[in-house]
Each structure stands twice: as C-alpha cells, then as structure tokens.
Amino acid sequence: MSVSRLHSSLLAACLGAAVLLPAHAQGVQPVPQNVVQLSASGVVEVPQDFLTMTLSTTREAADAAAVQSQLKTAIDAALAEARKSAQPGQMDVRSGAFSLSPRYTKEGRISTWQGTAEIVLEGRDFGRISSAAGRVQGLTVGQVAFSLSREERARVEGQAQAQAIAQFKAKAADIAKSFGFADYGLREVSVMADEGGMPRPRMMPMQAKASYADAAPVPVEAGKSMVTVTVSGGVQLR
C-alpha cells in the first residue's frame, strides 16, 4: 500500500471513531429537557414623598455682562432667602440651570442678550418647601415634580420583590403539577426593578406668583408611584 493511501485510511478511521463517540465525550452538551421559562411581577403603589420645585427668573439687556450681573444678584438673593428654611433631607437648596443667549434683528445683528437662571428646592417636607418658595421674591415657579425618595424606593422595592418571588415560586409549582411533575428546581433567575420612578413634572401657571407678595405657600399635591419588580428565569421540572 502506498504512503498516501495509508494516510487516507488512517484519516478515515479517525473520523469514523469521532462520529461514534458519545456526545459528552465530544464536548457537546445535551439539550435540556423539561425546562420551562416563566416570569412574575410584584407591584406596590405608594404616595410620592419627594418634591422638587424649580424657580426661575429671566433678564434681558443690550450687554451680556449686564444680564449676567442681574441674574447673579437675583439668584444670590433667592438662595439667601430659601436657605433660611433649609434642613438636610427635608428641604435642600441648590442653584439650577443657567443660560445666556443672543437675540437677533431681522438683519442678523445681535440686538439684546437674554438669560435665565434657576434655583431648586427639594426634599420630603412639602410644607416647608412650598412656604419657602412663597417667600422668594423675583422668581417664578417654573416646574413642580413629585417622586419617591431613595429610602422609600428601596423599602417599597423590597416589598415588591418579595411579592414577585412568591408569585414566581407559586407559578413554577403550579406548572410542575399541571405537567405531572412532583417538583421543580431553579436553573437561572434574574430580578429586575422598574426604574420608571423619575420625577413627574407639573408646570405651574405664571400667575401663581401673584400671591407671593404676602408669602402665601405654593399649592402642591403629590400623586402616587407604582414600583414594579419582575422575576424571570427557567425552572427544571422533575
């Protein structure tokens, strides 16, 4: 027999042996049997306990530096007044957005400069925040947003997660029983919390500032937030 024929015969024999090897010996994992994918959710509705109130002012002048100076004076005064009522966690005060842009004539030349600046009051004490906003002069309420505080969201997520896990286990046990199995085992599980708890803004009418002269509190009323946790994964029926 020639050398080339001998090599061909040996190669064919090796390939045939590989074909005859069991699946696990070739590194191929067997297809899992009796595996079911399912999911369950827990939902908890709670009152929103965090308020974010944005107050703003606008200035316009022929000179950009003059606009900046006017805005700085207004914001410094507003921050000083609001900070009198500040209390960590209950009402925090900070500066907000600042913008400055030119306004043009029909001929394309800069006619004036317009600027807007904001301060933000936020916290869990709605009464303190609304009263402080009522005492700030020269700024108008631009936006009011309600949400859940970090502590409340963590607490409620724990409740929703417990609900979701309990429902997942009940559903898995019911499916196993319906298919004639005595039990089930977990394969892989993922737990995801709904991140849709962003503050919901409410625009305030400009005339709401009309009553600020007598330091009347800004009217606010919170809604509710839905916190959802979803558990999903696969179970092995057995």
Side-chain angles (χ1 to χ4, degrees):
M1 180 181 294
S2 65
V3 175
S4 62
R5 289 185 177 180
L6 177 60
H7 287 172
S8 298
S9 298
L10 290 173
L11 179 60
C14 290
L15 290 174
V19 172
L20 294 175
L21 286 174
H24 67 272
Q26 299 181 46
V28 178
Q29 295 297 325
V31 178
Q33 301 294 320
N34 304 324
V35 174
V36 177
Q37 299 292 327
L38 65 150
S39 65
S41 296
V43 182
V44 178
E45 183 181 59
V46 291
Q48 296 162 330
D49 70 331
F50 196 84
L51 169 63
T52 301
M53 184 176 292
T54 303
L55 288 75
S56 64
T57 185
T58 300
R59 296 290 188 276
E60 186 171 352
D63 182 62
V67 175
Q68 292 187 44
S69 178
Q70 293 173 18
L71 289 175
K72 182 180 184 304
T73 299
I75 292 300
D76 285 347
L79 289 172
E81 177 60 40
R83 283 171 180 154
K84 295 176 182 179
S85 302
Q87 183 177 344
Q90 300 304 307
M91 190 188 95
D92 294 303
V93 181
R94 60 181 173 85
S95 57
F98 179 94
S99 64
L100 182 65
S101 58
R103 298 175 68 86
Y104 296 91
T105 64
K106 294 181 180 179
E107 293 75 23
R109 294 191 299 270
I110 295 177
S111 59
T112 59
W113 289 83
Q114 187 177 77
T116 301
E118 299 175 342
I119 69 168
V120 179
L121 314 180
E122 57 188 3
R124 303 179 67 168
D125 190 334
F126 293 4
R128 181 185 295 267
I129 294 172
S130 62
S131 295
R135 290 191 295 271
V136 174
Q137 298 296 313
L139 276 69
T140 58
V141 178
Q143 193 176 84
V144 175
F146 297 96
S147 60
L148 291 181
S149 64
R150 184 177 303 175
E151 298 79 8
E152 183 68 0
R153 171 163 288 276
R155 184 187 71 81
V156 177
E157 278 185 3
Q159 294 181 356
Q161 178 177 294
Q163 288 184 13
I165 291 174
Q167 291 184 23
F168 183 93
K169 293 167 65 177
K171 186 180 291 188
D174 185 61
I175 290 174
K177 181 179 179 181
S178 297
F179 279 105
F181 292 86
D183 199 1
Y184 69 89
L186 292 177
R187 288 179 58 86
E188 74 285 336
V189 177
S190 65
V191 180
M192 297 185 63
D194 178 20
E195 299 297 335
M198 298 298 291
R200 290 171 26 181
R202 298 184 185 179
M203 301 306 295
M204 298 291 291
M206 298 300 289
Q207 59 266 28
K209 194 66 176 182
S211 62
Y212 283 18
D214 57 1
V218 178
V220 293
E221 183 178 355
K224 293 184 177 182
S225 285
M226 303 283 288
V227 178
T228 304
V229 175
T230 301
V231 176
S232 58
V235 296
Q236 178 81 53
L237 306 182
R238 59 193 185 191

